[in-house]
Amino acid sequence: MRRAKHPICMVVLGSLVSVIWGWPFGPHLDMDVTPRTTVHISGLLGCNRFRGAVVNYSSMLLEDGLGFLYVGAREAIYKMDATNISHNSTLSLEWVASAEQKRQCLSKGKNNQTECYNHVRFLDRYNDTHLYTCGTHAFRPRCAYIDVAQFTFARFEEGKEKCPYDPTKGYTGFIIDGEMYSASQYEFRSIADIRRNFPFPNLRTDDSPSRWLLEADFVGSAFLRESVNSSIGDDDKLYFFFTERNVEPTAYSSQTRVARVARVCKGDIGGQRTLQRKWTSFLKARLVCSIPEYELQLNVLRSIHVIEGADVQDTIFYGVFGLEWRNVKMSAVCQYSIRDVQTAFDGPYMELQDSKWREYTGKVPDPRPGSCITDQHRALLINSSRDLPDNVLNFARRYPLMAIQIQPVGGRPLLLQRSLDYTKMTVHQVTGLDGHVYDMLFIGTDDGWLHRAVKIRGRMHIIEEIQLFREKQPINNLVISQKQESIYVSANSGLVQVPLSSCERYTSCYDCVFARDPLCAWDGRLCVEISSYPNRSRLIQDVQMGSRGCTNITSDGFVTHHTRVVMAGDDVLLQCEIHSNLASPRWTLNGQQLQGYAVDFGFRTGNDGLLIIGAQIQQSGHYRCYAVENNVWVPVRSYVVRVQPVSPPSSHTSPNPTALPESFFTTATAPTLSPSGGPVEQLLSPPPAPLPSGPEFQTFRHMEAMYISLVAVLGGLCLVLTVVLLYVSFCARSVPNVRKYSRQEFSVTMATERKRSSHFELKTVSSHCNGRIEGRSRAMSQDGEFLQIISADVQSSPCKDPPPAPPLPMPPPLPSTEYANGLSATLPSMLRKMNGNSYMLLTQTDSGMTSPLYHSFTEELNKILEKRKHTQDIQPDESSV
Ligand SMILES: *[C@@H]1O[C@H](CO)[C@@H](O)[C@H](O)[C@H]1NC(C)=O
Ligand SMILES: *[C@@H]1O[C@H](CO)[C@@H](O)[C@H](O)[C@H]1NC(C)=O
Ligand SMILES: *[C@@H]1O[C@H](CO)[C@@H](O)[C@H](O)[C@H]1NC(C)=O
Ligand SMILES: *[C@@H]1O[C@H](CO)[C@@H](O)[C@H](O)[C@H]1NC(C)=O
Ligand SMILES: *[C@@H]1O[C@H](CO)[C@@H](O)[C@H](O)[C@H]1NC(C)=O
Ligand SMILES: *[C@@H]1O[C@H](CO)[C@@H](O)[C@H](O)[C@H]1NC(C)=O
Ligand SMILES: *[C@@H]1O[C@H](CO)[C@@H](O)[C@H](O)[C@H]1NC(C)=O
Ligand SMILES: *[C@@H]1O[C@H](CO)[C@@H](O)[C@H](O)[C@H]1NC(C)=O
Ligand SMILES: *[C@@H]1O[C@H](CO)[C@@H](O)[C@H](O)[C@H]1NC(C)=O
């Protein structure tokens, strides 16, 4: 079995990899959406947590009006105050499977560490005074009524018809109008079924001549009141969403499973002789979520959310899809319209002929099999499903599958994630300041993160990704409370209540507008939740474009100004931290834009800053760093760099710190650089003219450029390999909280909009890894950040691990200001001077915000770096080795 699967898997993997590899060059690059910001658990605001004595929090029932959240976990049910789940008012109800039950479960060959417990799977309102709940009860399901006022069990009953035995089997169900519907794999043998559990008569699916459901794994269900204002006297309907074993012919023959939607009518009471106590209205159709040009079909449904329209015909639903191979992570979100589902159910049937499925082209009996009882039936004196003629019921039994496949709105996914498994999703509709109703998707991942996304003109924009749980674990369930403006997220280890938005996280008008969060707007001073803001007339929000409205650049201007004085030939790093994963850094020198890699002038820009390699006198000037997002240039930092000619060596043989210019070690505010508050346009779009270069040097420079590029490319490759090797050997599989979108990279190619496609991308070294790197500094790693300089020079590191750096001579004594933060003593072990002329800066920040210490600290490092370079120029003993 396992062996047979492997080659197929490899082939599929291979083709998948080639498909994915080809994507960056395809036309739909933007389908792999990068979250704009990354919020680690330490940066969470206003969250309330609950972690009881038990684990496996899964089912949730929110009663928003009454302000209670009920949560089902392993062997317990909780009643929580929805305003704050951390309050000590939480009540718990223990529901433990007996020791005898667990012993029997173990003897059935089940795992007593995970399966032989009572996992609460069902929780819903039964009547005004009672809830109804079901649990797996150590592979012997039980159900119970809970007295809400007392929060005690009122009565227990048998549950094997209503609840799966296995805690991991997909399950969906609800109680509506006093009727309980459930869909799962029941019994010890795991038989998939959709059922009406009460009242009498119970209904189920048929299994002859062939099963209607094949190992179906259910993810969701919906009840739509289609009888209201129906012109044909239609019935209310129930929809069930699942993935099942595939029997149809398919273009993707390697896939064994298929996503489906099935439907039954609420008024169905089964047939008289044929289909007795079985659904007479069961129909199912395929849900397609694919990218046709890549022949990629995401065939496993993981979650579904239905949004009922004002008119039931306007109902839409979103589905999260994945792949059936456990070792390939990929997720997509597709949107569907209920009209397309209805079209499929009104269309042709499929039939099984010579063990092949094909469209049925024969005669269809009247009234149409599988339809609900409508006025058309009543005109034929068919008042209920029991009055249906046998030929109709026999047809319905034999042809449950529809031929039309339900395509997503727009024909393709709204969102694709290539290396992520989404587990659960819920949708919230928000009216923006522009009057549009936006669908906000909250999607949980398999490793404890939450993505907040918004659909804008048919595309998904991920506002942020939020780390909710420190331990990697799948998000089990998501429920939104409109009243509390919260989302409740359950996982194995606990429960967390997160505000629907945390607008205060955006610290400037641009940040607020770029976020494109329909819940947030800029009030001139702060980014605020519009729901809590009484006067909306002055608020600024631009969900559609994410760029308009902020005109007051002075409030965002260059926050920090620095002066740097360096010696000619030094390498200078000008830092520029950008928080948005979607922004690109742009630099100007004296108002002229620097290209990403200006060989002639030895600049390199990366996402951390600008590196000037071997500074020359003419590189002095005003450097400004902008974060460019949605075509808006937002100033971040500015520097005045003064490159001084190297003094004759004699004056430096005995280095005397006091001889250095005073400004060498001071970070000064340069008042001349303060934004003048001039016209905004001027600041927003600096002249993009490249730097002029002298024609007389052109030929020489050209060759030099080629040589340098070659060296740089080879060096970069070596370095990437080395770093990957190091990374793999040090941190493989044991790195939590690695920042997902590494922005700390120095790209040797031209800076491009895309960050993740760079060939020179470096993995960020995580703080977890620090402990194994020799010579780490405790003072530095306490922030989880460190700076490391690694050579990119091909000559000194011929494609293997760099040789251990020679011990460095201590730098000359530094002025006392240098020791202000007490870090200099640890610096020599951190800095590794390389023979080459290029450096890598690796930083790791755990939170989105960097501490002031970080900046001052890296600046100290830079200065030392510059100084060391300078010293070595004078005493070239080391570089000549
Ligand atoms: C329950 O949680 C534990 C970890 O806390 C996990 O290993 C196990 O798979 C979970 N069981 C289910 C049914 O989700
Ligand atoms: C929720 O309750 C906990 C415990 O009473 C308290 O510490 C926390 O601040 C509360 N959260 C909010 C948002 O009020
Ligand atoms: C909850 O905490 C408050 C004070 O923090 C205390 O007065 C109250 O008795 C506590 N309630 C319960 C049920 O423990
Ligand atoms: C599971 O069963 C083993 C015997 O097979 C027993 O030693 C162990 O204590 C049991 N664990 C639990 C949690 O019941
Ligand atoms: C709700 O159902 C329970 C259990 O069947 C029953 O005892 C109770 O009387 C019912 N309450 C009402 C208000 O009907
Ligand atoms: C049904 O029609 C009535 C009258 O036309 C209207 O007032 C009502 O809102 C409609 N209900 C729904 C759910 O569309
Ligand atoms: C269906 O209902 C109509 C009126 O409600 C009644 O006249 C007719 O006899 C019923 N038909 C059957 C088969 O019960
Ligand atoms: C513009 O910025 C100035 C100075 O920060 C501030 O006083 C003023 O209120 C701002 N105006 C708007 C419309 O934001
Ligand atoms: C809202 O602000 C506008 C403009 O400042 C002002 O004219 C209006 O009176 C304010 N409305 C309320 C209800 O405060």
Side-chain angles (χ1 to χ4, degrees):
M1 220 14 209
R2 197 170 269 189
R3 245 188 215 173
K5 267 185 179 170
H6 257 268
I8 302 172
C9 240
M10 296 306 281
V11 168
V12 163
L13 256 175
S15 56
L16 203 70
V17 163
S18 60
V19 159
I20 295 165
W21 204 249
W23 275 354
F25 311 106
H28 298 290
L29 190 66
D30 58 332
M31 286 178 64
D32 194 15
V33 181
T34 302
R36 181 177 177 270
T37 54
T38 303
V39 181
H40 284 272
I41 197 160
S42 50
L44 282 181
L45 301 169
C47 283
N48 299 316
R49 286 179 186 277
F50 177 82
R51 189 184 282 243
V54 301
V55 295
N56 299 130
Y57 299 83
S58 53
S59 46
M60 288 198 273
L61 171 65
L62 175 70
E63 302 207 306
D64 222 359
L66 302 170
F68 289 112
L69 176 72
Y70 299 92
V71 180
R74 194 177 82 177
E75 316 226 293
I77 298 169
Y78 295 94
K79 179 183 184 178
M80 299 175 180
D81 180 353
T83 55
N84 183 345
I85 63 168
S86 305
H87 273 164
N88 61 357
S89 57
T90 296
L91 299 176
S92 74
L93 193 52
E94 214 179 53
W95 191 13
V96 182
S98 69
E100 170 60 15
Q101 210 82 71
K102 288 180 177 171
R103 202 189 52 74
Q104 285 182 13
C105 174
L106 184 65
S107 69
K108 286 175 193 166
K110 297 299 166 188
N111 183 345
N112 68 352
Q113 303 296 315
T114 54
E115 294 170 309
C116 294
Y117 288 99
N118 184 26
H119 289 268
V120 176
R121 301 296 308 271
F122 184 87
L123 206 48
D124 206 350
R125 176 61 72 163
Y126 180 71
N127 62 20
D128 287 348
T129 55
H130 288 71
L131 299 181
Y132 195 70
T133 181
C134 296
T136 60
H137 213 254
F139 266 72
R140 188 95 185 268
R142 302 276 288 163
C143 293
Y145 297 88
I146 295 173
D147 182 324
V148 173
Q150 313 289 323
F151 201 56
T152 53
F153 286 112
R155 187 153 60 85
F156 292 95
E157 59 187 32
E158 180 61 54
K160 71 177 201 277
E161 298 283 305
K162 302 169 191 143
C163 182
Y165 282 53
D166 188 330
T168 60
K169 290 284 188 251
Y171 183 45
T172 178
F174 52 89
I175 294 174
I176 187 88
D177 303 338
E179 300 173 357
M180 177 180 174
Y181 297 86
S182 66
S184 189
Q185 294 181 24
Y186 301 91
E187 300 176 34
F188 199 75
R189 293 169 297 153
S190 293
I191 298 163
D193 203 359
I194 294 174
R195 292 179 177 172
R196 176 154 66 222
N197 308 100
F198 54 74
F200 192 83
N202 303 353
L203 291 183
R204 51 176 61 196
T205 56
D206 194 42
D207 50 13
S208 67
S210 59
R211 287 195 182 284
W212 288 351
L213 296 164
L214 303 163
E215 298 155 31
D217 190 25
F218 291 90
V219 302
S221 50
F223 172 68
L224 295 183
R225 292 209 184 267
E226 294 178 43
S227 64
V228 176
N229 289 359
S230 168
S231 57
I232 56 163
D234 206 349
D235 196 0
D236 296 337
K237 299 192 183 87
L238 298 104
Y239 294 87
F240 293 90
F241 302 90
F242 55 98
T243 309
E244 69 171 350
R245 185 152 57 78
N246 190 19
V247 288
E248 294 169 84
T250 157
Y252 316 99
S253 52
S254 59
Q255 296 184 338
T256 62
R257 301 188 64 77
V258 60
R260 297 220 189 271
V261 53
R263 174 200 91 176
V264 292
C265 302
K266 186 159 179 284
D268 197 342
I269 51 171
Q272 186 68 33
R273 287 178 301 276
T274 309
L275 289 180
Q276 207 178 19
R277 299 246 208 131
K278 305 277 166 64
W279 300 105
T280 65
S281 55
F282 178 91
L283 291 174
K284 65 178 182 180
R286 180 187 202 128
L287 281 177
V288 177
C289 185
S290 68
I291 305 151
E293 60 266 38
Y294 301 120
E295 296 194 357
L296 182 76
Q297 169 124 26
L298 290 109
N299 60 328
V300 174
L301 188 58
R302 298 226 188 90
S303 182
I304 201 95
H305 188 94
V306 178
I307 304 171
E308 221 173 310
D311 181 352
V312 75
Q313 299 299 317
D314 297 332
T315 297
I316 57 163
F317 56 96
Y318 290 91
V320 168
F321 291 79
L323 295 170
E324 64 184 90
W325 308 297
R326 278 180 202 281
N327 45 359
V328 187
K329 288 194 173 195
M330 185 177 288
S331 303
V333 176
C334 278
Q335 185 199 336
Y336 303 87
S337 136
I338 206 74
R339 286 178 209 269
D340 293 337
V341 176
Q342 287 162 346
T343 305
F345 288 140
D346 290 340
Y349 302 83
M350 293 288 269
E351 71 170 334
L352 187 64
Q353 232 182 33
D354 310 328
S355 69
K356 280 218 173 90
W357 284 89
R358 56 178 63 128
E359 189 173 322
Y360 173 79
T361 49
K363 192 172 174 297
V364 176
D366 194 53
R368 190 181 157 85
S371 78
C372 300
I373 303 299
T374 62
D375 291 342
Q376 188 205 350
H377 293 77
R378 292 182 196 103
L380 297 166
L381 296 181
I382 298 168
N383 292 353
S384 79
S385 60
R386 287 220 181 112
D387 305 332
L388 286 167
D390 275 350
N391 67 325
V392 170
L393 293 178
N394 272 321
F395 189 96
R397 157 183 277 168
R398 287 187 56 197
Y399 304 105
L401 178 60
M402 309 313 298
I404 295 179
Q405 305 189 346
I406 300 159
Q407 300 290 337
V409 172
R412 58 178 52 250
L414 290 171
L415 172 66
L416 189 76
Q417 289 289 349
R418 286 189 246 163
S419 52
L420 208 59
D421 269 351
Y422 285 145
T423 55
K424 275 282 181 292
M425 170 196 56
T426 187
V427 185
H428 183 54
Q429 292 193 310
V430 180
T431 307
L433 286 181
D434 54 9
H436 282 92
V437 176
Y438 292 100
D439 289 351
M440 288 190 76
L441 274 60
F442 295 78
I443 321 174
T445 71
D446 66 339
D447 58 356
W449 288 67
L450 180 72
H451 284 197
R452 292 174 68 241
V454 58
K455 193 182 91 188
I456 303 164
R457 284 177 289 143
R459 282 159 188 250
M460 296 303 300
H461 164 72
I462 302 180
I463 299 165
E464 56 194 1
E465 56 175 352
I466 310 172
Q467 185 187 19
L468 296 182
F469 297 96
R470 214 171 281 281
E471 314 87 4
K472 283 195 176 183
Q473 57 188 316
I475 301 297
N476 287 335
N477 217 336
L478 299 164
V479 173
I480 287 176
S481 163
Q482 174 102 53
K483 191 174 154 196
Q484 311 296 343
E485 293 174 348
S486 284
I487 177 164
Y488 307 92
V489 184
S490 68
N492 283 339
S493 74
L495 207 66
V496 56
Q497 175 186 6
V498 190
L500 281 181
S501 59
S502 295
C503 305
E504 63 268 39
R505 217 179 266 141
Y506 309 117
T507 51
S508 71
C509 181
Y510 285 110
D511 207 14
C512 190
V513 163
F514 289 156
R516 304 170 86 177
D517 187 334
L519 294 164
C520 299
W522 184 255
D523 77 346
R525 215 168 40 85
L526 294 169
C527 194
V528 295
E529 266 86 12
I530 57 173
S531 60
S532 61
Y533 211 76
N535 195 350
R536 300 187 176 183
S537 59
R538 287 170 59 185
L539 292 181
I540 297 167
Q541 184 188 62
D542 182 18
V543 181
Q544 289 287 321
M545 311 288 288
S547 59
R548 299 167 300 185
C550 301
T551 49
N552 199 356
I553 195 104
T554 49
S555 56
D556 295 274
F558 290 102
V559 188
T560 40
H561 309 281
H562 304 269
T563 301
R564 306 289 291 277
V565 180
V566 298
M567 297 295 158
D570 285 0
D571 293 349
V572 188
L573 180 72
L574 305 178
Q575 285 241 313
C576 183
E577 272 276 319
I578 297 173
H579 296 304
S580 165
N581 297 320
L582 302 181
S584 332
R586 289 279 190 280
W587 287 84
T588 63
L589 169 54
N590 300 330
Q592 285 184 308
Q593 191 184 343
L594 292 176
Q595 295 303 323
Y597 179 45
V599 172
D600 289 359
F601 286 87
F603 291 112
R604 280 171 200 190
T605 61
N607 290 303
D608 249 12
L610 174 83
L611 186 64
I612 305 171
I613 304 150
Q616 295 160 31
I617 311 276
Q618 67 268 33
Q619 285 175 311
S620 303
H622 292 185
Y623 288 82
R624 291 188 174 97
C625 173
Y626 299 82
V628 181
E629 194 166 358
N630 300 338
N631 293 321
V632 179
W633 292 57
V634 178
V636 181
R637 278 197 152 199
S638 82
Y639 293 89
V640 174
V641 175
R642 254 178 278 155
V643 183
Q644 297 193 338
V646 182
S647 327
S650 58
S651 67
H652 279 274
T653 38
S654 58
N656 180 5
T658 52
L660 290 166
E662 222 171 80
S663 58
F664 193 90
F665 297 112
T666 51
T667 301
T669 305
T672 51
L673 273 185
S674 303
S676 51
V680 171
E681 291 71 28
Q682 195 186 325
L683 275 158
L684 292 185
S685 45
L691 287 171
S693 71
E696 62 270 27
F697 296 115
Q698 210 68 299
T699 322
F700 169 71
R701 288 238 157 109
H702 186 66
M703 285 176 60
E704 187 188 50
M706 273 175 54
Y707 174 71
I708 291 175
S709 340
L710 191 71
V711 167
V713 166
L714 288 174
L717 276 175
C718 280
L719 184 95
V720 167
L721 279 176
T722 312
V723 169
V724 165
L725 268 175
L726 274 175
Y727 182 80
V728 165
S729 60
F730 278 129
C731 323
R733 304 203 153 270
S734 63
V735 185
N737 310 345
V738 175
R739 198 181 177 121
K740 293 186 171 178
Y741 306 93
S742 64
R743 297 190 289 109
Q744 290 75 18
E745 71 198 58
F746 272 97
S747 167
V748 182
T749 51
M750 297 290 275
T752 53
E753 296 289 332
R754 292 294 300 169
K755 295 175 177 180
R756 295 198 285 174
S757 62
S758 165
H759 299 295
F760 292 89
E761 178 174 325
L762 282 174
K763 286 276 183 194
T764 309
V765 181
S766 90
S767 54
H768 199 72
C769 199
N770 293 3
R772 307 194 195 168
I773 287 179
E774 281 187 339
R776 78 161 181 165
S777 147
R778 204 171 297 157
M780 305 171 98
S781 64
Q782 67 192 6
D783 271 329
E785 303 162 352
F786 66 94
L787 192 69
Q788 192 182 3
I789 284 119
I790 299 169
S791 170
D793 189 331
V794 68
Q795 288 153 319
S796 64
S797 55
C799 264
K800 51 178 160 172
D801 283 1
L808 290 171
M810 280 296 291
L814 301 169
S816 57
T817 50
E818 194 71 21
Y819 294 90
N821 55 11
L823 288 171
S824 59
T826 61
L827 291 181
S829 62
M830 290 296 299
L831 277 176
R832 293 208 284 161
K833 173 69 181 79
M834 295 297 162
N835 299 338
N837 59 357
S838 53
Y839 296 86
M840 283 291 169
L841 174 72
L842 298 179
T843 63
Q844 159 76 21
T845 50
D846 255 331
S847 61
M849 305 289 287
T850 36
S851 63
L853 175 67
Y854 174 74
H855 284 295
S856 61
F857 170 55
T858 46
E859 262 158 27
E860 299 299 326
L861 275 178
N862 295 334
K863 285 171 206 152
I864 288 170
L865 175 62
E866 286 154 19
K867 181 162 186 181
R868 162 106 18 77
K869 184 76 193 298
H870 180 64
T871 329
Q872 275 158 2
D873 283 344
I874 307 151
Q875 302 162 334
D877 54 301
E878 204 187 337
S879 49
S880 62
V881 173

